[in-house]
């Protein structure tokens, strides 16, 4: 018996409706409405995967990475590292403070010289220059000598290049522990805290003497800025004008105030201190007569976090390094010599600073579990948030607070509390490591890593390692050729990080590899969806799978299909026992001329659906 009622109910009701007649009377159903399929043309009913990659065209003037066929392995390349460390992700356009990733920045390094644009090499190694258990190892350079405070003794050497320099003790200084060393170029001044400040003439070397300008001048901290020797004595600031005279500049109104350092930048002398959890930097300039200093005024306009306490300052070239209990910041004076501290560099307990060339070295205490030493800033390369490029630098195979740094006869030296003084050698480090940062290619789905390429010149070798976003580094091998692929065994993850290890020459300790490019190749492992193409037969009278006739209101059925196309509603598509959540992407209605015995047009609806 045939069906005489027509299908006139709406096709979309807001739910993923299904039909119980699929596989029984009808082959397919869309949104619960059963249909017959027009099978007169072979291949019209098909499932096609959605293309993984969109088509592209290269609009650039010159060919480059953008010209590479995206259907090949995806490439991520680094060709320079001069913007420094601290970038965990290589391709994030917005992170903390909304910063944009730099193609010339990386995650972390040790023993790597990153400062030449377009390449990385190996840093010099270090060796012990003086062993000492003293915790107050403070360095200073005056004329032809390098000085170090070693407990109650001041020592100096005229040549720091040997592995075991000859140190001379200056025994006429007071029998008190030295708490600070400052050079004026010709003389070395010593702070004792509980005893009068002393000086040592560089020419004589044994003329330790107490300053007699003020009996109260038992300096806690010394500094040399704008040609003026400054001293902090409790909450008071003094300007030492000669070996026998000092002038009180200002006393902070907070009796519990502690001065921690002095620096020059712009036209001012800056002085930093704290009381409890409150810190400030003040500035002062010379009076018009040039003999005295103005009353200091607050100079730090913003930049410190709540509870962030300044522990030291250092001025060099265009700006100032500000050390705090949270890390270090950089500030450049404005036209009025006011300071805005830049973004924090998370290096704790930094006490040592030294400026040379365009760089400023800073103490990087206990960089890892095996090393302590120096980091390096490049204020000539500074980000929009005020953070200069930085990276780890010379390191000693020891643990301890880095208390001081200096440059003497072209050799960078630094002291480690309770360990001694270290200086760089002419040998390169035996091994240097750089972690490039995680790369996800702007795609959260998985990728499969296939190869790492490291291009280098020079002697030595390069090792490559790779890790997934959740795993540890896995060694890929050692490369002795200047350009060789390191194969990756189809590691699958959403993001990867490459580590390169540079090994110096086995025959020449002063030679090592220079890397100028690193490439990571992956292919996307995205589970793509599908397109479903089907020609639906919509006739006024048709037959089901059993040959039984059934009628259809063609106009209503076609209008309902157009409604699904325009609404982009999510509906259910059924094929036999399989069902899919889909949206109707495209629709083409091909009517056939009406049968004279029928009321109107009928035909085939060519439907393109996208699985969700």
């Amino acid at each position: 018996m045939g069906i005489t009622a027509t299908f006139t109910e709406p096709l979309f009701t807001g739910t993923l409706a299904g039909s119980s007649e699929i596989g029984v009377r009808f082959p397919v159903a869309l949104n619960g409405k059963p249909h017959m399929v027009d099978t007169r043309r072979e291949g019209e009913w098909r499932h096609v995967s959605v293309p993984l990659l969109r088509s592209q065209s290269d609009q650039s003037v010159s060919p480059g990475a953008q010209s590479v066929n995206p259907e090949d392995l995806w490439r991520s390349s680094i060709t320079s590292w001069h913007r420094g460390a601290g970038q965990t992700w290589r391709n994030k356009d917005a992170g903390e403070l909304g910063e944009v990733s730099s193609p010339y920045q990386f995650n972390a390094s040790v023993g790597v010289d990153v400062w030449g644009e377009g390449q990385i090499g190996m840093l010099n190694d270090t060796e012990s220059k003086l062993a000492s258990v003293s915790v107050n190892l403070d360095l200073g350079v005056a004329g032809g000598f390098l000085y170090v405070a070693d407990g109650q003794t001041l020592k100096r050497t005229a040549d720091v290049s040997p592995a075991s320099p000859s140190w001379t003790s200056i025994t006429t200084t007071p029998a008190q522990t030295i708490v600070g060393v400052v050079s004026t170029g010709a003389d070395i001044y010593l702070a004792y805290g509980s005893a009068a400040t002393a000086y040592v003439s560089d020419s004589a070397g044994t003329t330790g003497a107490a300053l007699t300008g003020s009996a109260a001048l038992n300096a806690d901290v010394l500094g040399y800025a704008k040609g003026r020797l400054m001293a902090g004595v409790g909450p008071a600031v003094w300007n030492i004008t000669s070996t026998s005279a000092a002038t009180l500049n200002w006393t902070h109104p907070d009796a519990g105030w502690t001065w921690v350092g002095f620096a020059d930048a712009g036209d001012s002398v800056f002085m930093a201190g704290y009381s409890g959890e409150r810190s400030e930097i003040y500035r002062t300039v010379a009076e018009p007569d040039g003999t005295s200093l103005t009353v200091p005024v607050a100079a730090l306009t913003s930049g410190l976090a709540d509870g962030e306490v300044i522990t030291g300052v250092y001025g060099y070239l265009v700006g100032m390094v500000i050390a705090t209990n949270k890390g270090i910041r950089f500030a450049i004076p404005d036209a009025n010599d006011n300071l805005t501290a830049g973004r924090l560099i998370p290096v704790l307990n930094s006490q040592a600073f030294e400026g040379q060339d365009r760089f400023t070295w800073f103490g990087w205490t206990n960089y890892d579990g095996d090393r302590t030493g120096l980091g390096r800033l490049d204020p000539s390369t500074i980000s929009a948030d005020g953070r200069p490029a930085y990276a780890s630098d010379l390191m000693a195979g020891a643990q301890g607070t880095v208390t001081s740094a200096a440059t003497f006869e072209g050799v960078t030296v630094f002291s480690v509390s309770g360990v001694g003084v270290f200086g760089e050698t002419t040998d390169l480090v035996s091994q240097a490591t750089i972690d490039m940062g995680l790369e996800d290619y702007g795609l959260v789905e998985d990728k499969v890593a296939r190869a790492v390429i490291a291009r280098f010149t020079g002697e030595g070798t390069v090792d490559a390692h790779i890790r997934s976003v959740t795993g540890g580094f896995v060694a890929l091998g050692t490369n002795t050729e200047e350009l060789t692929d390191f194969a990756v065994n189809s590691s699958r993850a959403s993001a990867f990080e490459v580590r390169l290890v540079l090994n110096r020459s086995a025959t020449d300790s002063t030679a090592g590899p220079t890397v100028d490019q690193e490439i990571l190749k992956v292919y996307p492992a995205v589970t793509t969806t599908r397109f479903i193409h089907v020609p639906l037969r919509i006739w006024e009278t048709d037959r089901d799978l059993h040959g039984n006739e059934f009628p259809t209101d063609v106009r209503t059925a076609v209008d309902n299909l157009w409604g699904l196309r325009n609404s982009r509603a999510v509906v259910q598509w059924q094929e036999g026992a399989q069902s899919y959540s889909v949206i109707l992407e495209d629709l083409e209605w091909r009517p056939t001329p009406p049968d004279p015995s029928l009321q109107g047009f009928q035909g085939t609806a060519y439907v393109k659906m996208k699985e969700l």
Side-chain angles (χ1 to χ4, degrees):
M1 182 175 66
I3 299 176
T4 58
T6 59
F7 296 102
T8 59
E9 71 276 7
L11 289 180
F12 180 67
T13 63
T15 61
L16 301 186
S19 173
S20 61
E21 296 185 295
I22 304 307
V24 179
R25 293 188 59 206
F26 298 93
V28 299
L30 179 61
N31 196 31
K33 167 66 172 69
H35 287 280
M36 297 301 293
V37 177
D38 191 342
T39 57
R40 291 174 297 178
R41 297 183 61 181
E42 185 177 351
E44 294 288 353
W45 185 6
R46 64 193 187 276
H47 290 214
V48 180
S49 63
V50 175
L52 175 63
L53 300 174
R54 62 177 174 82
S55 60
Q56 71 168 23
S57 60
D58 182 8
Q59 304 293 334
S60 58
V61 176
S62 301
Q66 74 285 343
S67 308
V68 177
N69 184 355
E71 295 187 23
D72 195 1
L73 294 176
W74 290 7
R75 300 156 55 94
S76 174
S77 176
I78 300 181
T79 57
S80 190
W81 297 259
H82 65 279
R83 295 198 68 89
Q87 182 168 273
T88 307
W89 289 87
R90 285 167 56 169
N91 63 327
K92 295 296 185 185
D93 288 338
E96 181 186 354
L97 302 180
E99 76 276 10
V100 177
S101 295
S102 167
Y104 307 125
Q105 202 173 350
F106 58 94
N107 184 5
S109 66
V110 62
V112 179
D113 182 355
V114 303
W115 302 111
E117 286 195 34
Q119 65 180 38
I120 53 174
M122 304 181 75
L123 291 167
N124 288 345
D125 206 350
T126 64
E127 63 185 6
S128 175
K129 299 297 184 180
L130 174 68
S132 174
V133 297
S134 297
V135 297
N136 65 323
L137 298 170
D138 204 359
L139 301 167
V141 175
F145 297 95
L146 172 68
Y147 290 84
V148 61
D150 187 358
Q152 296 183 358
T153 303
L154 184 68
K155 298 177 179 179
R156 74 177 188 178
T157 182
D159 186 3
V160 77
S161 59
S164 299
S166 176
W167 294 91
T168 300
S169 297
I170 299 176
T171 58
T172 57
T173 51
Q176 299 282 342
T177 298
I178 303 169
V179 298
V181 174
V182 168
S183 170
T184 62
D187 297 323
I188 289 289
Y189 283 77
L190 309 174
Y192 291 91
S194 59
T197 303
Y199 76 95
V200 175
S201 171
D202 179 52
S203 59
T206 56
T207 57
L211 291 174
T212 59
S214 172
L217 197 59
N218 296 349
D220 303 307
V221 60
L222 293 172
Y224 191 65
K226 293 297 180 185
R228 292 177 182 269
L229 183 63
M230 307 297 293
V233 184
V237 175
W238 292 76
N239 178 199
I240 300 173
T241 55
S242 72
T243 57
S244 61
T247 302
L248 177 64
N249 176 236
W250 185 56
T251 299
H252 198 283
D254 184 346
W257 191 264
T258 298
W259 297 107
V260 296
F262 302 89
D264 56 12
D267 296 322
S268 300
V269 173
F270 293 88
M271 53 196 76
Y274 70 92
S275 178
E277 292 189 349
R278 185 170 67 89
S279 288
E280 186 55 83
I281 299 176
Y282 295 88
R283 58 180 171 83
T284 180
V285 295
E287 293 281 12
D289 61 9
T291 59
S292 60
L293 295 170
T294 60
V295 175
V297 296
L300 187 61
T301 58
S302 64
L304 297 188
D306 186 39
E308 189 171 2
V309 178
I310 298 174
T311 58
V313 289
Y314 180 81
Y316 183 65
L317 295 179
V318 299
M320 180 189 302
V321 179
I322 303 170
T324 78
N325 60 336
K326 304 293 185 181
I328 59 177
R329 299 180 184 271
F330 190 76
I332 298 176
D334 64 14
N336 297 315
D337 276 359
N338 291 318
L339 303 172
T340 298
R343 182 182 168 193
L344 188 73
I345 299 173
V347 177
L348 298 179
N349 197 22
S350 190
Q351 302 178 16
F353 300 99
E354 168 65 7
Q356 290 289 318
D357 192 27
R358 74 178 196 267
F359 303 108
T360 298
W361 278 259
F362 60 91
W364 202 325
T365 293
N366 298 340
Y367 176 80
D368 57 23
D370 301 313
R371 288 168 282 246
T372 193
L374 299 177
R376 194 190 310 192
L377 300 174
D378 181 6
S380 69
T381 302
I382 193 165
S383 61
D385 56 13
R387 187 172 74 172
Y390 74 96
S392 72
D393 207 78
L394 299 178
M395 290 286 162
Q399 294 285 276
T401 301
V402 180
T403 57
S404 189
T407 303
F408 182 61
E409 295 181 326
V411 177
T412 302
V413 294
F414 59 93
S415 55
V416 179
S417 178
V419 181
V421 177
F422 293 85
E424 65 177 319
T425 71
T426 57
D427 291 342
L428 299 179
V429 293
S430 60
Q431 195 172 73
T433 301
I434 183 167
D435 296 343
M436 303 299 176
L438 287 162
E439 172 67 82
D440 70 357
Y441 295 82
L443 183 71
V444 297
E445 288 86 357
D446 279 357
K447 276 73 63 179
V448 176
R450 295 298 297 156
V452 172
I453 299 175
R455 188 174 68 182
F456 71 95
T457 57
E459 300 183 43
T461 61
V462 174
D463 303 340
H465 303 249
I466 195 170
R467 76 173 183 95
S468 70
V469 65
T470 58
F473 282 103
V474 177
L476 301 179
T478 299
N479 186 0
T480 58
E481 302 293 332
E482 292 188 353
L483 182 62
T484 302
D485 284 20
F486 294 95
V488 182
N489 189 23
S490 298
S491 178
R492 179 173 178 143
S494 61
F496 297 96
E497 180 172 24
V498 173
R499 168 180 288 175
L500 295 184
V501 179
L502 285 62
N503 305 293
R504 76 182 182 196
S505 169
T507 58
D508 183 356
S509 60
T510 65
T514 298
V515 177
D516 60 19
Q517 187 176 37
E518 174 271 319
I519 300 172
L520 172 61
K521 291 185 175 182
V522 306
Y523 67 81
V526 177
T527 302
T528 61
T529 184
R530 74 184 75 191
F531 288 124
I532 301 172
H533 300 259
V534 60
L536 300 180
R537 197 168 68 203
I538 303 178
W539 293 355
E540 290 191 337
T541 302
D542 206 342
R543 293 182 181 273
D544 63 18
L545 294 175
H546 298 295
N548 298 319
E549 286 189 357
F550 66 93
T552 298
D553 184 334
V554 175
R555 182 183 298 276
T556 299
V558 173
D559 286 348
N560 285 335
L561 289 177
W562 282 114
L564 290 179
R565 165 63 182 82
N566 295 331
S567 70
R568 309 285 287 179
V570 179
V571 295
Q572 187 179 63
W573 168 252
Q574 293 172 266
E575 292 184 8
Q578 300 294 320
S579 63
Y580 309 89
S581 296
V582 300
I583 58 173
L584 203 158
E585 285 265 309
D586 289 306
L587 174 64
E588 182 181 354
W589 169 240
R590 296 183 185 178
T592 57
D595 189 308
S597 63
L598 300 177
Q599 297 178 5
F601 284 91
Q602 59 184 8
T604 302
Y606 289 84
V607 175
K608 177 183 177 183
M609 296 168 285
K610 182 178 181 180
E611 181 190 11
L612 300 179

